[in-house]
PDB file of all heavy atoms in Angstrom:
ATOM      1  N   ILE B 932      42.073  11.992-139.390  1.00  0.00           N
ATOM      2  CA  ILE B 932      42.080  12.797-138.157  1.00  0.00           C
ATOM      3  C   ILE B 932      41.366  12.041-137.031  1.00  0.00           C
ATOM      4  O   ILE B 932      41.848  11.991-135.894  1.00  0.00           O
ATOM      5  CB  ILE B 932      41.387  14.169-138.383  1.00  0.00           C
ATOM      6  CG1 ILE B 932      42.136  14.963-139.461  1.00  0.00           C
ATOM      7  CG2 ILE B 932      41.343  14.972-137.094  1.00  0.00           C
ATOM      8  CD1 ILE B 932      41.412  16.218-139.915  1.00  0.00           C
ATOM      9  N   ALA B 933      40.223  11.440-137.383  1.00  0.00           N
ATOM     10  CA  ALA B 933      39.459  10.700-136.381  1.00  0.00           C
ATOM     11  C   ALA B 933      40.310   9.583-135.777  1.00  0.00           C
ATOM     12  O   ALA B 933      40.347   9.402-134.557  1.00  0.00           O
ATOM     13  CB  ALA B 933      38.189  10.135-137.003  1.00  0.00           C
ATOM     14  N   ALA B 934      41.024   8.842-136.632  1.00  0.00           N
ATOM     15  CA  ALA B 934      41.853   7.743-136.147  1.00  0.00           C
ATOM     16  C   ALA B 934      42.959   8.264-135.243  1.00  0.00           C
ATOM     17  O   ALA B 934      43.264   7.690-134.188  1.00  0.00           O
ATOM     18  CB  ALA B 934      42.446   6.980-137.326  1.00  0.00           C
ATOM     19  N   LEU B 935      43.569   9.395-135.640  1.00  0.00           N
ATOM     20  CA  LEU B 935      44.649   9.968-134.834  1.00  0.00           C
ATOM     21  C   LEU B 935      44.152  10.388-133.457  1.00  0.00           C
ATOM     22  O   LEU B 935      44.916  10.424-132.494  1.00  0.00           O
ATOM     23  CB  LEU B 935      45.245  11.181-135.557  1.00  0.00           C
ATOM     24  CG  LEU B 935      46.155  10.848-136.754  1.00  0.00           C
ATOM     25  CD1 LEU B 935      46.610  12.125-137.445  1.00  0.00           C
ATOM     26  CD2 LEU B 935      47.351  10.018-136.312  1.00  0.00           C
ATOM     27  N   LEU B 936      42.876  10.741-133.356  1.00  0.00           N
ATOM     28  CA  LEU B 936      42.323  11.132-132.058  1.00  0.00           C
ATOM     29  C   LEU B 936      41.872   9.911-131.248  1.00  0.00           C
ATOM     30  O   LEU B 936      42.115   9.817-130.047  1.00  0.00           O
ATOM     31  CB  LEU B 936      41.122  12.064-132.260  1.00  0.00           C
ATOM     32  CG  LEU B 936      41.428  13.513-132.607  1.00  0.00           C
ATOM     33  CD1 LEU B 936      40.139  14.238-132.982  1.00  0.00           C
ATOM     34  CD2 LEU B 936      42.104  14.209-131.446  1.00  0.00           C
ATOM     35  N   VAL B 937      41.214   8.987-131.925  1.00  0.00           N
ATOM     36  CA  VAL B 937      40.546   7.911-131.202  1.00  0.00           C
ATOM     37  C   VAL B 937      41.532   6.848-130.702  1.00  0.00           C
ATOM     38  O   VAL B 937      41.429   6.381-129.564  1.00  0.00           O
ATOM     39  CB  VAL B 937      39.444   7.269-132.085  1.00  0.00           C
ATOM     40  CG1 VAL B 937      38.916   5.999-131.440  1.00  0.00           C
ATOM     41  CG2 VAL B 937      38.323   8.258-132.308  1.00  0.00           C
ATOM     42  N   VAL B 938      42.502   6.478-131.548  1.00  0.00           N
ATOM     43  CA  VAL B 938      43.402   5.400-131.149  1.00  0.00           C
ATOM     44  C   VAL B 938      44.157   5.724-129.851  1.00  0.00           C
ATOM     45  O   VAL B 938      44.114   4.936-128.897  1.00  0.00           O
ATOM     46  CB  VAL B 938      44.359   5.020-132.306  1.00  0.00           C
ATOM     47  CG1 VAL B 938      45.400   4.009-131.834  1.00  0.00           C
ATOM     48  CG2 VAL B 938      43.551   4.455-133.463  1.00  0.00           C
ATOM     49  N   PRO B 939      44.797   6.903-129.752  1.00  0.00           N
ATOM     50  CA  PRO B 939      45.442   7.208-128.461  1.00  0.00           C
ATOM     51  C   PRO B 939      44.427   7.287-127.322  1.00  0.00           C
ATOM     52  O   PRO B 939      44.709   6.879-126.193  1.00  0.00           O
ATOM     53  CB  PRO B 939      46.086   8.579-128.683  1.00  0.00           C
ATOM     54  CG  PRO B 939      46.070   8.804-130.134  1.00  0.00           C
ATOM     55  CD  PRO B 939      45.000   7.969-130.739  1.00  0.00           C
ATOM     56  N   ALA B 940      43.225   7.800-127.639  1.00  0.00           N
ATOM     57  CA  ALA B 940      42.202   7.937-126.596  1.00  0.00           C
ATOM     58  C   ALA B 940      41.823   6.588-126.012  1.00  0.00           C
ATOM     59  O   ALA B 940      41.570   6.463-124.804  1.00  0.00           O
ATOM     60  CB  ALA B 940      40.962   8.621-127.171  1.00  0.00           C
ATOM     61  N   LEU B 941      41.807   5.553-126.861  1.00  0.00           N
ATOM     62  CA  LEU B 941      41.446   4.224-126.381  1.00  0.00           C
ATOM     63  C   LEU B 941      42.478   3.670-125.402  1.00  0.00           C
ATOM     64  O   LEU B 941      42.156   2.929-124.485  1.00  0.00           O
ATOM     65  CB  LEU B 941      41.299   3.264-127.564  1.00  0.00           C
ATOM     66  CG  LEU B 941      39.992   3.377-128.361  1.00  0.00           C
ATOM     67  CD1 LEU B 941      40.044   2.506-129.597  1.00  0.00           C
ATOM     68  CD2 LEU B 941      38.803   2.997-127.495  1.00  0.00           C
ATOM     69  N   PHE B 942      43.754   4.053-125.632  1.00  0.00           N
ATOM     70  CA  PHE B 942      44.810   3.516-124.776  1.00  0.00           C
ATOM     71  C   PHE B 942      45.056   4.384-123.543  1.00  0.00           C
ATOM     72  O   PHE B 942      45.791   3.980-122.642  1.00  0.00           O
ATOM     73  CB  PHE B 942      46.102   3.360-125.583  1.00  0.00           C
ATOM     74  CG  PHE B 942      46.008   2.236-126.583  1.00  0.00           C
ATOM     75  CD1 PHE B 942      45.792   2.493-127.927  1.00  0.00           C
ATOM     76  CD2 PHE B 942      46.102   0.915-126.161  1.00  0.00           C
ATOM     77  CE1 PHE B 942      45.676   1.457-128.838  1.00  0.00           C
ATOM     78  CE2 PHE B 942      45.992  -0.125-127.070  1.00  0.00           C
ATOM     79  CZ  PHE B 942      45.778   0.142-128.416  1.00  0.00           C
ATOM     80  N   ALA B 943      44.428   5.554-123.495  1.00  0.00           N
ATOM     81  CA  ALA B 943      44.689   6.489-122.397  1.00  0.00           C
ATOM     82  C   ALA B 943      44.480   5.877-121.009  1.00  0.00           C
ATOM     83  O   ALA B 943      45.302   6.103-120.113  1.00  0.00           O
ATOM     84  CB  ALA B 943      43.834   7.744-122.572  1.00  0.00           C
ATOM     85  N   PRO B 944      43.388   5.096-120.801  1.00  0.00           N
ATOM     86  CA  PRO B 944      43.172   4.568-119.452  1.00  0.00           C
ATOM     87  C   PRO B 944      44.338   3.725-118.937  1.00  0.00           C
ATOM     88  O   PRO B 944      44.527   3.602-117.727  1.00  0.00           O
ATOM     89  CB  PRO B 944      41.917   3.699-119.610  1.00  0.00           C
ATOM     90  CG  PRO B 944      41.216   4.267-120.778  1.00  0.00           C
ATOM     91  CD  PRO B 944      42.292   4.751-121.704  1.00  0.00           C
ATOM     92  N   MET B 945      45.123   3.138-119.840  1.00  0.00           N
ATOM     93  CA  MET B 945      46.249   2.299-119.397  1.00  0.00           C
ATOM     94  C   MET B 945      47.416   3.123-118.897  1.00  0.00           C
ATOM     95  O   MET B 945      48.201   2.648-118.088  1.00  0.00           O
ATOM     96  CB  MET B 945      46.721   1.414-120.563  1.00  0.00           C
ATOM     97  CG  MET B 945      45.659   0.441-121.021  1.00  0.00           C
ATOM     98  SD  MET B 945      46.219  -0.432-122.495  1.00  0.00           S
ATOM     99  CE  MET B 945      44.660  -0.971-123.140  1.00  0.00           C
ATOM    100  N   VAL B 946      47.574   4.321-119.451  1.00  0.00           N
ATOM    101  CA  VAL B 946      48.759   5.099-119.101  1.00  0.00           C
ATOM    102  C   VAL B 946      48.464   6.348-118.273  1.00  0.00           C
ATOM    103  O   VAL B 946      49.292   6.766-117.463  1.00  0.00           O
ATOM    104  CB  VAL B 946      49.544   5.505-120.369  1.00  0.00           C
ATOM    105  CG1 VAL B 946      50.211   4.281-120.979  1.00  0.00           C
ATOM    106  CG2 VAL B 946      48.632   6.193-121.375  1.00  0.00           C
ATOM    107  N   ALA B 947      47.280   6.919-118.456  1.00  0.00           N
ATOM    108  CA  ALA B 947      47.031   8.230-117.851  1.00  0.00           C
ATOM    109  C   ALA B 947      46.687   8.120-116.366  1.00  0.00           C
ATOM    110  O   ALA B 947      46.116   7.124-115.913  1.00  0.00           O
ATOM    111  CB  ALA B 947      45.895   8.936-118.593  1.00  0.00           C
ATOM    112  N   SER B 948      47.020   9.156-115.614  1.00  0.00           N
ATOM    113  CA  SER B 948      46.644   9.227-114.211  1.00  0.00           C
ATOM    114  C   SER B 948      45.150   9.540-114.118  1.00  0.00           C
ATOM    115  O   SER B 948      44.563  10.033-115.080  1.00  0.00           O
ATOM    116  CB  SER B 948      47.438  10.347-113.534  1.00  0.00           C
ATOM    117  OG  SER B 948      47.013  11.581-114.065  1.00  0.00           O
ATOM    118  N   PRO B 949      44.521   9.247-112.969  1.00  0.00           N
ATOM    119  CA  PRO B 949      43.100   9.588-112.821  1.00  0.00           C
ATOM    120  C   PRO B 949      42.827  11.055-113.139  1.00  0.00           C
ATOM    121  O   PRO B 949      41.801  11.388-113.724  1.00  0.00           O
ATOM    122  CB  PRO B 949      42.807   9.277-111.346  1.00  0.00           C
ATOM    123  CG  PRO B 949      43.793   8.248-110.986  1.00  0.00           C
ATOM    124  CD  PRO B 949      45.036   8.538-111.796  1.00  0.00           C
ATOM    125  N   TYR B 950      43.745  11.923-112.770  1.00  0.00           N
ATOM    126  CA  TYR B 950      43.553  13.349-113.041  1.00  0.00           C
ATOM    127  C   TYR B 950      43.431  13.616-114.534  1.00  0.00           C
ATOM    128  O   TYR B 950      42.519  14.291-115.008  1.00  0.00           O
ATOM    129  CB  TYR B 950      44.717  14.155-112.459  1.00  0.00           C
ATOM    130  CG  TYR B 950      44.711  15.600-112.877  1.00  0.00           C
ATOM    131  CD1 TYR B 950      43.867  16.523-112.268  1.00  0.00           C
ATOM    132  CD2 TYR B 950      45.533  16.046-113.920  1.00  0.00           C
ATOM    133  CE1 TYR B 950      43.837  17.840-112.677  1.00  0.00           C
ATOM    134  CE2 TYR B 950      45.515  17.363-114.337  1.00  0.00           C
ATOM    135  CZ  TYR B 950      44.667  18.260-113.714  1.00  0.00           C
ATOM    136  OH  TYR B 950      44.637  19.565-114.122  1.00  0.00           O
ATOM    137  N   HIS B 951      44.379  13.055-115.276  1.00  0.00           N
ATOM    138  CA  HIS B 951      44.361  13.279-116.717  1.00  0.00           C
ATOM    139  C   HIS B 951      43.174  12.597-117.393  1.00  0.00           C
ATOM    140  O   HIS B 951      42.599  13.111-118.335  1.00  0.00           O
ATOM    141  CB  HIS B 951      45.675  12.802-117.354  1.00  0.00           C
ATOM    142  CG  HIS B 951      46.826  13.678-116.998  1.00  0.00           C
ATOM    143  ND1 HIS B 951      47.883  13.238-116.234  1.00  0.00           N
ATOM    144  CD2 HIS B 951      47.058  14.985-117.276  1.00  0.00           C
ATOM    145  CE1 HIS B 951      48.721  14.245-116.061  1.00  0.00           C
ATOM    146  NE2 HIS B 951      48.249  15.309-116.675  1.00  0.00           N
ATOM    147  N   LEU B 952      42.844  11.417-116.836  1.00  0.00           N
ATOM    148  CA  LEU B 952      41.702  10.683-117.384  1.00  0.00           C
ATOM    149  C   LEU B 952      40.408  11.494-117.199  1.00  0.00           C
ATOM    150  O   LEU B 952      39.548  11.543-118.077  1.00  0.00           O
ATOM    151  CB  LEU B 952      41.595   9.322-116.687  1.00  0.00           C
ATOM    152  CG  LEU B 952      41.090   8.167-117.539  1.00  0.00           C
ATOM    153  CD1 LEU B 952      41.915   8.006-118.804  1.00  0.00           C
ATOM    154  CD2 LEU B 952      41.125   6.869-116.741  1.00  0.00           C
ATOM    155  N   THR B 953      40.315  12.129-116.025  1.00  0.00           N
ATOM    156  CA  THR B 953      39.148  12.957-115.749  1.00  0.00           C
ATOM    157  C   THR B 953      39.072  14.131-116.715  1.00  0.00           C
ATOM    158  O   THR B 953      38.008  14.472-117.228  1.00  0.00           O
ATOM    159  CB  THR B 953      39.209  13.480-114.302  1.00  0.00           C
ATOM    160  OG1 THR B 953      39.303  12.357-113.439  1.00  0.00           O
ATOM    161  CG2 THR B 953      37.973  14.280-113.961  1.00  0.00           C
ATOM    162  N   PHE B 954      40.236  14.711-116.972  1.00  0.00           N
ATOM    163  CA  PHE B 954      40.279  15.816-117.936  1.00  0.00           C
ATOM    164  C   PHE B 954      39.758  15.353-119.298  1.00  0.00           C
ATOM    165  O   PHE B 954      38.932  16.003-119.926  1.00  0.00           O
ATOM    166  CB  PHE B 954      41.705  16.347-118.073  1.00  0.00           C
ATOM    167  CG  PHE B 954      41.862  17.326-119.197  1.00  0.00           C
ATOM    168  CD1 PHE B 954      41.441  18.642-119.056  1.00  0.00           C
ATOM    169  CD2 PHE B 954      42.397  16.929-120.421  1.00  0.00           C
ATOM    170  CE1 PHE B 954      41.563  19.544-120.101  1.00  0.00           C
ATOM    171  CE2 PHE B 954      42.524  17.830-121.473  1.00  0.00           C
ATOM    172  CZ  PHE B 954      42.107  19.134-121.306  1.00  0.00           C
ATOM    173  N   LEU B 955      40.259  14.202-119.735  1.00  0.00           N
ATOM    174  CA  LEU B 955      39.838  13.684-121.041  1.00  0.00           C
ATOM    175  C   LEU B 955      38.349  13.327-121.051  1.00  0.00           C
ATOM    176  O   LEU B 955      37.653  13.571-122.034  1.00  0.00           O
ATOM    177  CB  LEU B 955      40.677  12.462-121.421  1.00  0.00           C
ATOM    178  CG  LEU B 955      42.130  12.784-121.820  1.00  0.00           C
ATOM    179  CD1 LEU B 955      42.932  11.512-121.993  1.00  0.00           C
ATOM    180  CD2 LEU B 955      42.171  13.629-123.085  1.00  0.00           C
ATOM    181  N   LEU B 956      37.895  12.763-119.918  1.00  0.00           N
ATOM    182  CA  LEU B 956      36.465  12.436-119.817  1.00  0.00           C
ATOM    183  C   LEU B 956      35.611  13.691-120.033  1.00  0.00           C
ATOM    184  O   LEU B 956      34.623  13.679-120.763  1.00  0.00           O
ATOM    185  CB  LEU B 956      36.180  11.820-118.444  1.00  0.00           C
ATOM    186  CG  LEU B 956      34.764  11.332-118.119  1.00  0.00           C
ATOM    187  CD1 LEU B 956      34.865  10.179-117.118  1.00  0.00           C
ATOM    188  CD2 LEU B 956      33.894  12.417-117.535  1.00  0.00           C
TER     189      LEU B 956
END
Side-chain angles (χ1 to χ4, degrees):
Chain B
I932 299 171
L935 285 176
L936 282 171
V937 170
V938 173
L941 282 173
F942 289 102
M945 297 174 201
V946 289
S948 67
Y950 171 79
H951 289 114
L952 214 54
T953 303
F954 171 78
L955 288 172
L956 183 151

